[in-house]
Amino acid sequence: MLVFIFLIPILSFSQKKEPLHYFKSADSLVGVKNKSGKIIVPAQFKIFSYLKDGDPVIGETILFDGEKNGEKTEKNAWGYVYDRNGKFLYQPFLYDNGADYFSEGLRRLVKNGKVGFADRNGKIIIEAEHDFASPFNYGYAAFCDGCDWEKTNDEHRSIVGGKWGVMNTKGESVQPVAKQTGNDVEIDGKYYPNPFQYNEKEKNILQFFEKQKKKLSDLYYVNFSNKLSENEKNLFFEIVERPKENFPYYQVNTYNYRKKDLDMLYRFKFLVSEDGKTFYAIEDYNDKKVPFESWLKEEIKNAEDFQKEHQDNPNKFINK
C-alpha cells in the first residue's frame, strides 16, 4: 500500500496572446469570452471557487475548475481544460478537492477512467493508460494497473492493490538498477538511474545554484525545529522543464538529500531565461516571477528576523 500526498504547483508563463476572461450567466454558470465579447466557451460550468465575473484566464489553456452542467463527473476527474480557441482538450485528475496541479511541467489527466499527463500547452505527453499515477518527482512517476482507492471514508485515502511500476517523462517503464550507485533515485525502496542529462549551457545554469547551495540550504532549513546534519541539509538542483512554445524559460527545481521535491508549492523553484543569463524565483502558484537577487534578499531578511525571535533555533543561518 502506498500513500501519495503531493501538492503540485500550477505555473503559467506565456508570451503575448489574446486576453480572455471568465464570465457568469444569469444562472451563475461560467464560460469564457474574449476582449470584444465573443464567446469562446459557452457558460456551462459550475465553479465552486472564488471566481468572479471578468477574472482573466491565466496560462496557455482555459481551466474550468468545476462541474459541467448536466454531465456526470468521470471517476477521478475534476474540471475541464480547453485551448484558447475553445477546443476541449482533457479533464484533469482530481486532487485535493480540485483539478490537479503541474509537477515538473506535467499535469495528470483522466480519460475513460485511466490516467495520463499533459503539458502546460495542453498537449498530451503521456497517454491515459494506467489506473493511477503519482505526480512526477525527480523525473519519475509511480503508476499502477489493477489498483483502486481503498474503501474508507478517511479524507486521505491510499491506492491499494494492482501491479506497480515506475515511468519516465516519456511514459516509458523504467526498471530498478541491479547495483546501487550514489546518483540513483530511491522510489519505494528500489533504486532507479538518475534521469537528468545536461549540455554545457545547462551545466552552467545549474552551476549558478551550486555555488550558492550552502546559503540556500541554510535559508530553507533555518526554521526546522530538529537539528539537521550537513548531509541532511544537502540540496540538488535539476532542470525539469526547458524552453518551448509559450514558455521561454528553463525551470529549475530544488530537491532535498533524498531527492524529494523541496517544496510542494513554489518556494525554491526558479526560472532562467532562454539565453541562460537571467535568473528568477517563482513567487506564487500562478505566474509571478521576481529577480533572483530580490528574492534572495527577502529570504535572507526573513531568516534573520526568524532567528531574532527564535534564538534557540538549531539550524543557524549565517549570512556570508
Side-chain angles (χ1 to χ4, degrees), residues 215-255:
K215 178 176 287 188
L216 293 175
S217 174
D218 288 348
L219 283 170
Y220 183 79
Y221 288 110
V222 67
N223 62 355
F224 277 51
S225 59
N226 56 311
K227 177 65 176 176
L228 300 174
S229 67
E230 288 304 307
N231 179 63
E232 290 173 318
K233 292 168 63 178
N234 189 31
L235 300 179
F236 293 92
F237 304 99
E238 305 292 356
I239 295 174
V240 298
E241 201 168 0
R242 291 173 168 85
K244 59 188 173 186
E245 182 183 5
N246 300 314
F247 186 75
Y249 304 101
Y250 295 90
Q251 181 170 327
V252 177
N253 283 11
T254 311
Y255 299 87

Side-chain angles (χ1 to χ4, degrees), residues 50-194:
Y50 297 104
L51 183 71
K52 300 189 296 293
D53 189 85
D55 279 354
V57 172
I58 299 174
E60 312 315 321
T61 58
I62 303 169
L63 169 65
F64 293 99
D65 194 8
E67 300 174 350
K68 190 173 184 178
N69 192 38
E71 184 170 300
K72 183 179 179 181
T73 303
E74 183 171 357
K75 178 182 178 182
N76 294 331
W78 182 261
Y80 296 80
V81 174
Y82 289 71
D83 69 17
R84 297 181 70 92
N85 295 315
K87 178 184 176 182
F88 171 72
L89 298 176
Y90 65 87
Q91 284 192 268
F93 183 83
L94 170 64
Y95 179 77
D96 197 31
N97 298 317
D100 196 27
Y101 302 90
F102 284 95
S103 178
E104 301 187 358
L106 297 174
R107 169 200 266 158
R108 290 174 291 180
L109 62 91
V110 177
K111 183 178 181 180
N112 299 324
K114 302 293 185 179
V115 179
F117 290 84
D119 69 8
R120 67 176 68 249
N121 288 321
K123 181 181 178 181
I124 307 301
I125 302 300
I126 300 174
E127 294 293 335
E129 297 177 341
H130 301 291
D131 290 325
F132 176 81
S134 71
F136 274 93
N137 177 82
Y138 213 82
Y140 290 121
F143 67 88
C144 64
D145 296 306
C147 54
D148 203 351
W149 296 101
E150 62 180 337
K151 310 301 181 185
T152 177
N153 293 323
D154 290 348
E155 181 180 0
H156 297 294
R157 297 181 296 161
S158 302
I159 292 289
V160 295
K163 183 179 179 180
W164 288 83
V166 169
M167 73 174 87
N168 60 23
T169 54
K170 297 179 181 179
E172 301 165 334
S173 293
V174 180
Q175 299 302 313
V177 296
K179 186 176 181 180
Q180 180 185 349
T181 68
N183 292 324
D184 297 332
V185 185
E186 188 270 327
I187 303 174
D188 194 32
K190 297 179 181 179
Y191 291 86
Y192 295 82
N194 190 311

